[in-house]
Structures are given as C-alpha cells and as structure tokens.
Amino acid sequence: MSKFSFQEIESQYNLIKTLLSNPEKYKDAIDAVKKDIAYMPLELKKKLEEENITL
C-alpha cells in the first residue's frame, strides 16, 4: 500500500467528521464509508481512534 500525504489524510478525516456531524442527513455516505473502512490508510484509522471517532 502506498503512503498517503498529510493533506489527503486530513481531507478524509475532515470529511468523516462532517458526515458524522449530521448522521441522519448523511446516512448513505456513512454506510459507504463503513464498507470501505478496510481500505482506509492506517494513518487515518489511527487519527480517528485518537479522536475517539467510530463509524
């Protein structure tokens, strides 16, 4: 797997936080992210865990 840049990780992290800010509105997008969680960069998974953000 390739390394992801800090900007890519930060962008994905911010997107997930935005989606989780209104779970009713973004239910379909959250479900799609849940399906793709296995393919997330490890750096992003660590950042979400540090912030106690779960999908």
Side-chain angles (χ1 to χ4, degrees):
M1 186 188 315
S2 63
K3 292 271 184 182
F4 287 85
S5 72
F6 176 77
Q7 290 85 6
E8 289 173 299
I9 300 298
E10 197 66 25
S11 175
Q12 291 177 5
Y13 172 75
N14 289 331
L15 174 61
I16 290 170
K17 283 182 62 174
T18 300
L19 296 174
L20 292 175
S21 70
N22 193 345
E24 297 83 26
K25 182 177 180 181
Y26 300 116
K27 182 183 181 332
D28 293 337
I30 291 169
D31 290 341
V33 170
K34 285 180 183 179
K35 289 179 184 176
D36 292 336
I37 198 129
Y39 302 105
M40 269 186 192
L42 293 176
E43 295 90 348
L44 179 57
K45 287 182 183 180
K46 286 181 186 177
K47 186 169 180 118
L48 291 173
E49 288 173 1
E50 288 172 1
E51 296 286 327
N52 252 355
I53 297 175
T54 57
L55 296 171

